[in-house]
């Protein structure tokens, strides 16, 4: 596999991981039912309601993806380390946010009647697992960048190869052009005479 292709596949994994985290963040992760409240009700909470960690780090992962193409060498490796940290943060933040005590507290903040209910029931769906999957993908892509990113070409490498020969073949201007011009003017000569066609001799 060529370095450019490897870079492209890693960028695709990075984009997929961040995208999954952002997609899951807006979906309902848990539902709390308060059957013993004065007025029984059901409250649903999304990933953003539970803290928004996955959403924030998902956007950070997309920013890291842009930096992946704009950097090279050790700077790109540092970007890879950050992307891996973003992915790990998504996984950790997601797992913590679906703990029962946290979900019940968040639902209670949204619906005060929940605090009057006896033994609220909580159901967690699989959207939080989608967020974890996105975090794992993002972390894996960041580790690949950290290990192999220094070998990948930069975004402007093709343009540098095209312009370098042209710059090398361009003739250098004589350093004494300005000095020679002033000397010819001092002698009373017209420095533009060489641009005129020579007149035929009679």
């Amino acid at each position: 596999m060529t370095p450019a292709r490897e870079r492209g596949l890693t960028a695709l994994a990075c984009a997929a991981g961040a995208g999954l985290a952002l997609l899951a963040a807006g979906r309902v992760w848990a539902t709390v039912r308060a059957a013993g409240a004065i007025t029984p009700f059901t409250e649903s909470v999304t990933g953003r309601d539970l803290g928004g960690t996955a959403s924030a780090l998902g956007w950070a992962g997309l920013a890291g993806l842009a930096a992946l193409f704009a950097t090279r060498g050790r700077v790109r490796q540092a970007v890879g380390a950050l992307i891996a940290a973003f992915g790990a943060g998504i996984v950790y933040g997601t797992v913590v946010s679906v703990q029962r005590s946290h979900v019940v507290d968040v639902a209670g903040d949204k619906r005060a009647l929940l605090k009057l209910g006896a033994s609220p029931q909580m159901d967690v769906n699989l959207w939080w697992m989608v967020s974890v999957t996105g975090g794992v993908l993002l972390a894996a892509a960041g580790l690949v960048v950290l290990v192999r990113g220094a070998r990948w070409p930069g975004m402007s490498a093709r343009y540098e190869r095209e312009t370098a020969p042209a710059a090398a073949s361009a003739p250098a201007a004589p350093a004494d052009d300005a000095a020679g011009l002033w000397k010819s003017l001092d002698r009373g000569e017209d420095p533009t005479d060489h641009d005129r066609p020579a007149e035929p001799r009679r």
Side-chain angles (χ1 to χ4, degrees), residues 6 34 83 115 122:
E6 187 179 48
I83 293 175
K115 298 177 181 179
M122 184 187 77

Side-chain angles (χ1 to χ4, degrees), residues 23-41:
L23 174 66
R27 300 299 190 273
V28 173
W29 287 12
T31 302
V32 177
R33 294 182 176 86
I38 297 176
T39 302
F41 66 92

Side-chain angles (χ1 to χ4, degrees), residues 78-166:
V79 170
L82 283 176
I83 293 175
F86 295 153
I90 290 174
V91 174
Y92 177 78
T94 299
V95 172
V96 170
S97 67
V98 293
Q99 300 301 310
R100 175 182 172 81
S101 58
H102 181 65
V103 173
V104 172
D105 287 344
V106 172
D109 291 339
K110 294 182 66 176
R111 186 75 69 95
L113 289 176
L114 179 63
K115 298 177 181 179
L116 302 178
S119 301
Q121 298 178 348
M122 184 187 77
D123 295 325
V124 179
N125 59 37
L126 294 180
W127 274 110
W128 73 279
M129 287 298 299
V130 175
S131 179
V132 169
T133 302
V136 170
L137 272 176
L138 194 62
L143 290 177
V144 172
V145 176
L146 178 62
V147 174
R148 303 186 60 83
R151 304 181 181 92
W152 298 343
M155 181 174 59
S156 60
R158 177 170 60 89
Y159 300 102
E160 291 176 358
R161 286 196 299 269
E162 291 177 355
T163 56

